[in-house]
Amino acid sequence: MNITAAAIKNNRVTFLLLAVLLISGYQAFTQLPRAEDPSFTIRTAVVTTQFPGASPQRMEELVTDKIEKVVQELPELDSVTSTSRTGLSMINVNLKDKYTDLDPIWDDLRRKIDTVKGDLPSGVIGPGVNTDFGDVYPIMLSITGDGYTYAELKDVADAVRDDLLRIDAVAKVEIYGAQEERIFVEYNNARLAEVGLSPQQLRSILEARNIIQSGGSITSGGEVIVLEPSGNFESVDDLRLTLIQLPQHGEVVYLEDLARVYRGYVDPPTEKMNTTAVPCLGLSISMIEGGNVIHLGQDVNALVARLPAIYPVGVDFHLDIFQPDLVEQKVDDFVENLLQAVGIVMLVMVVSLGIRTGLVVAALIPTTMLITLLLMHTFAIGLDQISIASLIIALGMLVDNAIVMSEAIMVQMAAGKERFQAAVDAAAELRIPLLTSSLTTAAAFLPIILAESGLGEYCASLFQVVTIALLVSWSLSITMMPLLCMTFIRVKPSEETESFQSGFHRIYRGILVAALKHRTVSLGIVVGVFGLAIYGFGFVDQGFIPKNDSPRLLGELDLPLGTAIEETEAAIAKFEAFLRERLMAEGPPEGPPEGAVKEGFLGWTTYIGAGGGPRYRLAYEPQSKGGEHVSLILEATSREWIDRTIPLLEEYCAEQFPSMTTTWQAEAMGGVSGKPVQLRLSGKDIPTLFRLAEAVKEYLRATPGAKNVEDDWGPRTKKLVVAINQARARRAGVTL
């Protein structure tokens, strides 16, 4: 049976089905996963190995090269890059874009890494394989406390972390900026020699005292009783009061009589974190796959509101990065655009075709959107900036089917056909042309999903959502639209004919006739306009992903390789003081009174040293470097102010820190991207590589528009080489 005739004849079933779909669509809208970016697979794992004290060259030869050789055996491997630093090897394992099920591949990688562990030097820590490199942490909670130590803040952070993990939508919580504690035993070599002790003997005495192994168990009367020997150190005081027997005199003294025992932190630290120039600890929060980031934000906000009443006065909590607000704003903007589209279509149709036709055509938009959202929920497509953009794009196209169908039915009615027959005949006439038109429009987005690249995966929902929306619109245009037109639209047989005699139609007919009479001139004008459009296209900024209007600035600051983290802290403290004094806003952008707010930064988060902070959004890739590196995430009052301020920041850093390399970039949309132009030089002769790299960098620096030209090898650093004469050392009885 003809689907249009069936929908009209069974109008009660049709209306009931539409009502069910609309209600289901709204429920799907409330349940759809929400995130800033679509699901995207980061096909990178990081293999980290530590060898304390080893030079970069030794790390390369003894550790990195051996691991790289087994990594290259992976058949799914696309590329492998490595960085060898003093005491640290980091290897990035990148897989080909066509692979999506990564768990078996990472398991194979771990097995291969295990086979090489026996070939590494003794004293090597690791290697460890991090396959969670692509995890996104949309919320960063910082904890500050004036007068509190890092250890005390760490206790608070651990407790808050436990509370956060109880939230259903939370997958992981990582702590940043925590300083690892140590118990230090500082001794004077002269003092130990005076009592006849060597450092090795003192170490052996302490190791023998600190019993942490199980004492076994005994069975008594059918009951197993565990033996737990005492003697291990429970506190710093226990360690201070350890009895040491002196070998020369047989006397017994306390350890505190021979050495200074105290609790402290690892020195030098590997990383630190600040929030708007205040030292802090950070808790980065990731969401479970398929979760709703808006609901996650609501739960985290509720928890943060309760925290001040739980913890001591002086401990403050700040949400430095909070992506749920951004996602909620995008969803609200979509709903607003949807309502605007319905209103505009209704207004245009009411003015041109009357109120009945306007209401009928406008009804297609919310119906199509809700059914599309239902199908998105069915196909596991969440709401993110790509799918929302797709829905907005579809808004401008899906109403065409309704307009064409309703006008065709009105023409049939005006020609004198009975209402039912007019609706059926118009649908039969336009069914295939409208389907072809919808599929042709959808096919324009097909190359995006067919691209075997990260960008194709990132933007896949653009094709999927537009196609779903257009096909839903077509389905409704041959079922719902004929039913609504037959039910509500009234057309007199002479109404359409008379309307073609209006002033507008007479003017349009005159232009059309003139264009047909002078075909050569008409075609020339068309070709000229087309050529003008092509010429003007050259003045349009080009890029697949549009610019982000987010008022957030990202900064990467690098002092010379090998700079101590203390020097980095001093430099960033001076820079943050400049931000506070010169570029800090007086209040939030929406705060009263009007005009009282100066443009500027509202706050920022600083990551000093290794790690570079969490990946708070998909397009942000943290930099894993050493103590010379600083990453900043700054919140400002507007994107326009950021664009004006970047040159000022570059100028200040160039004047105050001549040896510092800075990269400032407004937050961008899209997947992970590095520098826009990258060249790779490879070879086995290192001096020749350095010479060629310097020549290439000089050429690039001379290129107009190029800045921050640098290589990933980094400058050479200083080291002291102790050349030992083996024969003389043996004669002197000195061991190495």
Side-chain angles (χ1 to χ4, degrees):
M1 177 184 283
N2 186 297
I3 188 173
T4 305
I8 296 174
K9 289 180 178 179
N10 302 283
N11 55 359
R12 294 183 180 180
V13 176
T14 303
F15 282 125
L16 177 61
L17 180 60
L18 286 173
V20 171
L21 290 175
L22 291 176
I23 295 173
S24 300
Y26 178 77
Q27 289 180 338
F29 173 71
T30 61
Q31 297 172 4
L32 275 173
R34 286 164 168 79
E36 180 183 4
D37 293 296
S39 175
F40 181 81
T41 305
I42 303 294
R43 299 171 175 83
T44 301
V46 181
V47 182
T48 304
T49 311
Q50 298 181 45
F51 190 11
S55 65
Q57 184 176 356
R58 287 188 176 181
M59 289 296 302
E60 174 69 24
E61 296 172 351
L62 301 179
V63 178
T64 305
D65 184 60
K66 294 180 179 180
I67 297 176
E68 278 186 328
K69 287 179 179 177
V70 298
V71 169
Q72 290 169 353
E73 297 174 2
L74 281 174
E76 302 87 357
L77 184 69
D78 180 45
S79 65
V80 55
T81 59
S82 63
T83 301
S84 297
R85 305 167 65 91
T86 301
L88 179 65
S89 166
M90 298 186 66
I91 301 175
N92 286 2
V93 183
N94 305 301
L95 304 181
K96 295 176 182 177
D97 288 335
K98 64 180 181 180
Y99 296 104
T100 56
D101 186 10
L102 304 186
D103 288 340
I105 303 175
W106 297 143
D107 290 340
D108 188 21
L109 173 64
R110 290 187 178 93
R111 285 192 293 269
K112 291 182 179 298
I113 296 296
D114 288 340
T115 63
V116 81
K117 287 183 178 179
D119 299 331
L120 301 179
S122 60
V124 165
I125 304 173
V129 181
N130 178 17
T131 58
D132 297 331
F133 183 69
D135 287 352
V136 177
Y137 299 83
I139 299 176
M140 170 60 78
L141 171 66
S142 64
I143 304 175
T144 61
D146 187 14
Y148 288 84
T149 64
Y150 276 109
E152 292 168 335
L153 291 180
K154 179 62 163 54
D155 292 338
V156 175
D158 287 334
V160 175
R161 179 179 181 273
D162 293 339
D163 292 335
L164 289 169
L165 288 173
R166 295 189 185 97
I167 297 175
D168 293 337
V170 172
K172 290 194 303 184
V173 179
E174 299 289 343
I175 298 178
Y176 285 82
Q179 303 304 304
E180 193 172 351
E181 289 189 274
R182 289 288 188 273
I183 304 298
F184 292 91
V185 179
E186 289 187 357
Y187 55 84
N188 186 298
N189 283 319
R191 173 60 175 156
L192 291 185
E194 180 184 339
V195 298
L197 273 176
S198 67
Q200 291 77 14
Q201 289 174 313
L202 181 60
R203 176 179 177 178
S204 299
I205 293 172
L206 296 178
E207 287 179 345
R209 163 72 192 278
N210 193 32
I211 302 173
I212 56 176
Q213 296 181 347
S214 169
S217 62
I218 61 174
T219 303
S220 175
E223 181 181 5
V224 178
I225 301 175
V226 176
L227 296 179
E228 182 178 322
S230 63
N232 58 297
F233 301 125
E234 299 287 350
S235 65
V236 178
D237 288 336
D238 286 349
L239 183 58
R240 290 195 186 102
L241 299 177
T242 300
L243 295 176
I244 307 294
Q245 185 173 8
L246 303 181
Q248 290 183 350
H249 311 291
E251 298 178 3
V252 177
V253 298
Y254 291 121
L255 177 61
E256 64 181 357
D257 296 330
L258 302 176
R260 179 184 172 218
V261 182
Y262 63 95
R263 183 191 299 269
Y265 303 102
V266 172
D267 189 23
T270 57
E271 63 177 6
K272 285 193 173 182
M273 177 180 171
N274 295 343
T275 174
T276 317
V278 179
C280 70
L281 264 60
L283 294 171
S284 57
I285 305 165
S286 71
M287 183 177 63
I288 60 174
E289 187 175 358
N292 188 322
V293 73
I294 297 177
H295 293 166
L296 172 64
Q298 293 170 349
D299 293 338
V300 171
N301 265 329
L303 174 62
V304 172
R306 298 195 306 266
L307 293 179
I310 300 174
Y311 295 98
V313 175
V315 177
D316 298 318
F317 303 90
H318 315 270
L319 288 170
D320 293 336
I321 298 174
F322 198 72
Q323 295 300 97
D325 282 348
L326 175 65
V327 177
E328 187 173 14
Q329 181 62 45
K330 288 183 179 293
V331 174
D332 292 342
D333 289 344
F334 161 68
V335 175
E336 181 181 347
N337 287 333
L338 175 61
L339 296 177
Q340 288 176 355
V342 173
I344 292 172
V345 169
M346 187 182 300
L347 177 63
V348 172
M349 298 302 293
V350 166
V351 171
S352 59
L353 298 176
I355 188 169
R356 288 178 178 267
T357 306
L359 292 174
V360 167
V361 172
L364 181 76
I365 298 177
T367 307
T368 301
M369 284 292 106
L370 288 173
I371 298 177
T372 300
L373 291 169
L374 175 61
L375 293 176
M376 287 173 59
H377 187 272
T378 303
F379 294 118
I381 303 174
L383 283 176
D384 51 64
Q385 61 181 354
I386 299 299
S387 62
I388 290 175
S390 306
L391 290 170
I392 294 174
I393 292 173
L395 278 176
M397 298 184 290
L398 59 87
V399 74
D400 294 344
N401 291 333
I403 294 175
V404 172
M405 182 61 69
S406 61
E407 186 141 7
I409 294 174
M410 292 171 63
V411 170
Q412 297 271 8
M413 290 180 181
K417 281 190 179 182
E418 189 267 333
R419 301 164 61 78
F420 173 79
Q421 196 60 41
V424 173
D425 290 349
E429 178 185 353
L430 295 175
R431 183 184 302 120
I432 300 303
L434 289 180
L435 177 61
T436 304
S437 173
S438 299
L439 293 177
T440 302
T441 304
F445 299 90
L446 185 59
I448 296 173
I449 197 172
L450 293 180
E452 293 185 358
S453 65
L455 189 60
E457 181 183 358
Y458 180 81
C459 297
S461 60
L462 190 62
F463 167 76
Q464 296 167 341
V465 174
V466 169
T467 301
I468 291 173
L470 290 177
L471 291 179
V472 170
S473 171
W474 172 79
S475 302
L476 293 176
S477 68
I478 63 173
T479 53
M480 183 186 78
M481 289 305 301
L483 175 59
L484 294 180
C485 288
M486 197 194 84
T487 305
F488 297 107
I489 292 181
R490 302 286 185 269
V491 179
K492 296 179 181 179
S494 61
E495 180 180 332
E496 192 67 21
T497 304
E498 293 175 356
S499 65
F500 287 124
Q501 304 304 319
S502 64
F504 171 79
H505 283 93
R506 286 197 298 271
I507 295 174
Y508 174 70
R509 185 183 295 109
I511 296 174
L512 185 60
V513 170
L516 293 175
K517 285 183 178 179
H518 305 87
R519 293 187 293 272
T520 304
V521 176
S522 301
L523 290 176
I525 293 174
V526 171
V527 172
V529 171
F530 178 74
L532 183 63
I534 295 297
Y535 173 76
F537 189 70
F539 298 95
V540 178
D541 291 337
Q542 300 180 23
F544 188 79
I545 300 295
K547 291 183 178 180
N548 197 342
D549 57 0
S550 170
R552 187 176 285 156
L553 175 65
L554 308 178
E556 302 291 340
L557 284 60
D558 288 282
L559 289 166
L561 188 65
T563 301
I565 193 171
E566 293 83 1
E567 292 295 322
T568 307
E569 283 189 89
I572 198 61
K574 182 177 180 180
F575 179 73
E576 288 182 321
F578 165 74
L579 294 180
R580 273 187 171 278
E581 296 170 3
R582 295 276 304 278
L583 302 176
M584 195 74 177
E586 295 176 354
E590 68 277 9
E594 183 178 356
V597 177
K598 181 183 71 175
E599 285 193 299
F601 291 119
L602 301 172
W604 58 86
T605 306
T606 309
Y607 302 97
I608 305 171
R615 185 191 295 270
Y616 74 95
R617 62 192 301 267
L618 186 64
Y620 177 74
E621 184 171 358
Q623 302 294 317
S624 298
K625 297 186 178 181
E628 72 280 352
H629 178 75
V630 178
S631 296
L632 291 109
I633 304 174
L634 304 99
E635 298 280 350
T637 53
S638 68
R639 170 61 187 268
E640 293 75 16
W641 185 85
I642 285 178
D643 294 336
R644 298 195 306 267
T645 306
I646 289 178
L648 174 62
L649 296 175
E650 292 175 338
E651 180 182 356
Y652 176 82
C653 291
E655 291 179 355
Q656 299 297 323
F657 314 105
S659 60
M660 179 184 287
T661 301
T662 63
T663 302
W664 299 100
Q665 182 181 13
E667 190 176 70
M669 295 178 65
V672 176
S673 61
K675 294 189 175 181
V677 177
Q678 301 182 33
L679 302 177
R680 178 181 296 174
L681 302 179
S682 60
K684 296 183 178 180
D685 188 347
I686 294 179
T688 302
L689 275 179
F690 269 98
R691 186 177 66 255
L692 293 176
E694 285 300 323
V696 171
K697 286 192 290 185
E698 288 300 323
Y699 177 81
L700 292 175
R701 290 189 181 105
T703 304
K707 64 179 181 179
N708 294 330
V709 178
E710 57 184 6
D711 61 72
D712 58 1
W713 194 304
R716 300 186 180 187
T717 58
K718 300 175 183 177
K719 69 176 180 180
L720 296 176
V721 179
V722 181
I724 300 174
N725 187 312
Q726 304 289 342
R728 293 188 64 181
R730 282 195 293 270
R731 285 197 301 269
V734 177
T735 58
L736 304 181

Short mmCIF file of all heavy atoms in Angstrom, two decimals, residues 561-590:
data_model
loop_
_atom_site.label_atom_id
_atom_site.label_comp_id
_atom_site.label_asym_id
_atom_site.label_seq_id
_atom_site.Cartn_x
_atom_site.Cartn_y
_atom_site.Cartn_z
N LEU A 561 67.33 23.81 28.47
CA LEU A 561 67.35 22.44 28.96
C LEU A 561 68.38 22.30 30.08
O LEU A 561 69.52 22.76 29.96
CB LEU A 561 67.68 21.48 27.82
CG LEU A 561 67.55 19.99 28.11
CD1 LEU A 561 66.10 19.64 28.39
CD2 LEU A 561 68.08 19.18 26.93
N GLY A 562 67.97 21.65 31.16
CA GLY A 562 68.86 21.46 32.30
C GLY A 562 68.70 22.50 33.38
O GLY A 562 69.35 22.42 34.42
N THR A 563 67.82 23.50 33.17
CA THR A 563 67.57 24.50 34.20
C THR A 563 66.94 23.85 35.43
O THR A 563 66.01 23.05 35.31
CB THR A 563 66.63 25.60 33.67
OG1 THR A 563 67.22 26.22 32.53
CG2 THR A 563 66.36 26.66 34.72
N ALA A 564 67.46 24.19 36.59
CA ALA A 564 66.93 23.62 37.84
C ALA A 564 65.50 24.12 38.04
O ALA A 564 65.14 25.24 37.68
CB ALA A 564 67.80 24.02 39.02
N ILE A 565 64.68 23.26 38.65
CA ILE A 565 63.28 23.62 38.84
C ILE A 565 63.14 24.82 39.77
O ILE A 565 62.17 25.59 39.67
CB ILE A 565 62.48 22.40 39.38
CG1 ILE A 565 60.97 22.68 39.26
CG2 ILE A 565 62.88 22.07 40.80
CD1 ILE A 565 60.11 21.47 39.56
N GLU A 566 64.11 25.03 40.65
CA GLU A 566 64.06 26.21 41.53
C GLU A 566 64.17 27.49 40.71
O GLU A 566 63.50 28.49 41.00
CB GLU A 566 65.18 26.14 42.56
CG GLU A 566 65.05 25.03 43.59
CD GLU A 566 65.58 23.70 43.09
OE1 GLU A 566 66.08 23.64 41.95
OE2 GLU A 566 65.51 22.71 43.84
N GLU A 567 65.02 27.48 39.67
CA GLU A 567 65.14 28.64 38.80
C GLU A 567 63.85 28.85 38.00
O GLU A 567 63.42 29.98 37.78
CB GLU A 567 66.33 28.45 37.85
CG GLU A 567 67.68 28.47 38.53
CD GLU A 567 67.99 29.82 39.16
OE1 GLU A 567 67.63 30.85 38.55
OE2 GLU A 567 68.57 29.85 40.25
N THR A 568 63.26 27.75 37.58
CA THR A 568 61.99 27.85 36.86
C THR A 568 60.91 28.45 37.75
O THR A 568 60.12 29.30 37.31
CB THR A 568 61.56 26.47 36.36
OG1 THR A 568 62.62 25.88 35.60
CG2 THR A 568 60.32 26.57 35.49
N GLU A 569 60.86 28.01 39.01
CA GLU A 569 59.88 28.56 39.95
C GLU A 569 60.08 30.06 40.13
O GLU A 569 59.11 30.82 40.18
CB GLU A 569 60.00 27.85 41.29
CG GLU A 569 59.38 26.48 41.35
CD GLU A 569 59.35 25.92 42.76
OE1 GLU A 569 58.36 26.17 43.47
OE2 GLU A 569 60.33 25.27 43.15
N ALA A 570 61.33 30.49 40.25
CA ALA A 570 61.60 31.91 40.44
C ALA A 570 61.16 32.72 39.22
O ALA A 570 60.57 33.80 39.36
CB ALA A 570 63.09 32.12 40.72
N ALA A 571 61.42 32.19 38.03
CA ALA A 571 61.04 32.90 36.82
C ALA A 571 59.52 32.98 36.69
O ALA A 571 58.97 34.04 36.37
CB ALA A 571 61.64 32.20 35.60
N ILE A 572 58.83 31.88 36.97
CA ILE A 572 57.37 31.89 36.82
C ILE A 572 56.72 32.73 37.91
O ILE A 572 55.65 33.32 37.70
CB ILE A 572 56.82 30.46 36.79
CG1 ILE A 572 55.41 30.45 36.19
CG2 ILE A 572 56.77 29.86 38.18
CD1 ILE A 572 55.34 30.92 34.77
N ALA A 573 57.35 32.83 39.08
CA ALA A 573 56.81 33.69 40.13
C ALA A 573 56.85 35.16 39.68
O ALA A 573 55.90 35.92 39.91
CB ALA A 573 57.60 33.51 41.42
N LYS A 574 57.94 35.54 39.03
CA LYS A 574 58.04 36.91 38.51
C LYS A 574 57.00 37.14 37.41
O LYS A 574 56.36 38.21 37.36
CB LYS A 574 59.45 37.14 37.96
CG LYS A 574 59.68 38.54 37.43
CD LYS A 574 61.13 38.72 36.97
CE LYS A 574 61.36 40.13 36.44
NZ LYS A 574 62.76 40.31 35.98
N PHE A 575 56.81 36.15 36.56
CA PHE A 575 55.83 36.29 35.48
C PHE A 575 54.41 36.38 36.05
O PHE A 575 53.59 37.19 35.59
CB PHE A 575 55.97 35.12 34.52
CG PHE A 575 54.98 35.15 33.39
CD1 PHE A 575 55.13 36.06 32.35
CD2 PHE A 575 53.91 34.28 33.36
CE1 PHE A 575 54.22 36.10 31.31
CE2 PHE A 575 52.99 34.31 32.32
CZ PHE A 575 53.16 35.22 31.30
N GLU A 576 54.09 35.56 37.03
CA GLU A 576 52.75 35.60 37.62
C GLU A 576 52.51 36.91 38.35
O GLU A 576 51.37 37.41 38.38
CB GLU A 576 52.57 34.41 38.57
CG GLU A 576 52.43 33.08 37.84
CD GLU A 576 52.20 31.91 38.78
OE1 GLU A 576 52.82 31.90 39.87
OE2 GLU A 576 51.42 31.02 38.44
N ALA A 577 53.56 37.48 38.94
CA ALA A 577 53.41 38.80 39.57
C ALA A 577 53.05 39.85 38.51
O ALA A 577 52.22 40.74 38.75
CB ALA A 577 54.69 39.18 40.29
N PHE A 578 53.66 39.73 37.32
CA PHE A 578 53.33 40.64 36.22
C PHE A 578 51.86 40.47 35.80
O PHE A 578 51.15 41.45 35.56
CB PHE A 578 54.26 40.35 35.04
CG PHE A 578 53.81 40.95 33.74
CD1 PHE A 578 53.92 42.31 33.51
CD2 PHE A 578 53.26 40.15 32.76
CE1 PHE A 578 53.50 42.86 32.30
CE2 PHE A 578 52.84 40.68 31.55
CZ PHE A 578 52.96 42.05 31.33
N LEU A 579 51.40 39.23 35.74
CA LEU A 579 50.00 38.99 35.39
C LEU A 579 49.06 39.61 36.41
O LEU A 579 48.04 40.21 36.06
CB LEU A 579 49.74 37.49 35.27
CG LEU A 579 50.45 36.72 34.16
CD1 LEU A 579 50.07 35.24 34.20
CD2 LEU A 579 50.12 37.29 32.79
N ARG A 580 49.39 39.45 37.70
CA ARG A 580 48.52 39.99 38.75
C ARG A 580 48.47 41.52 38.70
O ARG A 580 47.42 42.12 38.86
CB ARG A 580 49.05 39.54 40.12
CG ARG A 580 48.52 38.19 40.57
CD ARG A 580 48.97 37.93 42.00
NE ARG A 580 48.33 36.76 42.56
CZ ARG A 580 47.12 36.72 43.08
NH1 ARG A 580 46.39 37.82 43.10
NH2 ARG A 580 46.62 35.60 43.58
N GLU A 581 49.62 42.14 38.49
CA GLU A 581 49.70 43.60 38.57
C GLU A 581 49.16 44.29 37.32
O GLU A 581 48.56 45.35 37.41
CB GLU A 581 51.14 44.02 38.81
CG GLU A 581 51.70 43.54 40.15
CD GLU A 581 53.20 43.77 40.27
OE1 GLU A 581 53.77 44.36 39.32
OE2 GLU A 581 53.79 43.35 41.28
N ARG A 582 49.39 43.68 36.16
CA ARG A 582 49.09 44.37 34.92
C ARG A 582 47.89 43.84 34.15
O ARG A 582 47.22 44.59 33.43
CB ARG A 582 50.33 44.29 33.99
CG ARG A 582 51.56 45.01 34.53
CD ARG A 582 51.51 46.48 34.19
NE ARG A 582 51.35 46.68 32.76
CZ ARG A 582 52.35 46.65 31.88
NH1 ARG A 582 53.58 46.44 32.31
NH2 ARG A 582 52.13 46.84 30.60
N LEU A 583 47.61 42.55 34.28
CA LEU A 583 46.63 41.93 33.38
C LEU A 583 45.50 41.22 34.10
O LEU A 583 44.75 40.47 33.48
CB LEU A 583 47.34 40.93 32.45
CG LEU A 583 48.45 41.51 31.58
CD1 LEU A 583 49.14 40.42 30.79
CD2 LEU A 583 47.91 42.58 30.64
N MET A 584 45.32 41.45 35.39
CA MET A 584 44.27 40.79 36.15
C MET A 584 42.98 41.59 36.04
O MET A 584 42.98 42.82 36.22
CB MET A 584 44.69 40.66 37.61
CG MET A 584 43.86 39.70 38.41
SD MET A 584 44.25 38.00 38.02
CE MET A 584 43.17 37.15 39.18
N ALA A 585 41.88 40.92 35.76
CA ALA A 585 40.59 41.59 35.69
C ALA A 585 40.12 41.95 37.09
O ALA A 585 40.51 41.33 38.08
CB ALA A 585 39.56 40.70 35.00
N GLU A 586 39.27 42.96 37.18
CA GLU A 586 38.77 43.42 38.48
C GLU A 586 37.61 42.58 39.00
O GLU A 586 37.23 42.70 40.16
CB GLU A 586 38.32 44.88 38.36
CG GLU A 586 39.48 45.82 38.05
CD GLU A 586 39.01 47.24 37.83
OE1 GLU A 586 37.78 47.46 37.80
OE2 GLU A 586 39.86 48.11 37.67
N GLY A 587 37.06 41.74 38.15
CA GLY A 587 35.93 40.94 38.60
C GLY A 587 35.40 40.09 37.47
O GLY A 587 35.91 40.15 36.35
N PRO A 588 34.39 39.29 37.71
CA PRO A 588 33.82 38.43 36.67
C PRO A 588 33.15 39.26 35.58
O PRO A 588 32.70 40.36 35.83
CB PRO A 588 32.81 37.58 37.43
CG PRO A 588 32.47 38.37 38.64
CD PRO A 588 33.70 39.13 39.01
N PRO A 589 33.10 38.74 34.36
CA PRO A 589 32.54 39.52 33.25
C PRO A 589 31.10 39.93 33.48
O PRO A 589 30.68 40.98 33.00
CB PRO A 589 32.66 38.55 32.06
CG PRO A 589 33.63 37.51 32.48
CD PRO A 589 33.60 37.44 33.96
N GLU A 590 30.32 39.13 34.20
CA GLU A 590 28.91 39.45 34.37
C GLU A 590 28.64 40.25 35.64
O GLU A 590 27.49 40.56 35.94
CB GLU A 590 28.09 38.15 34.40
CG GLU A 590 28.33 37.28 35.63
CD GLU A 590 29.55 36.37 35.49
OE1 GLU A 590 30.30 36.55 34.51
OE2 GLU A 590 29.75 35.52 36.36
#
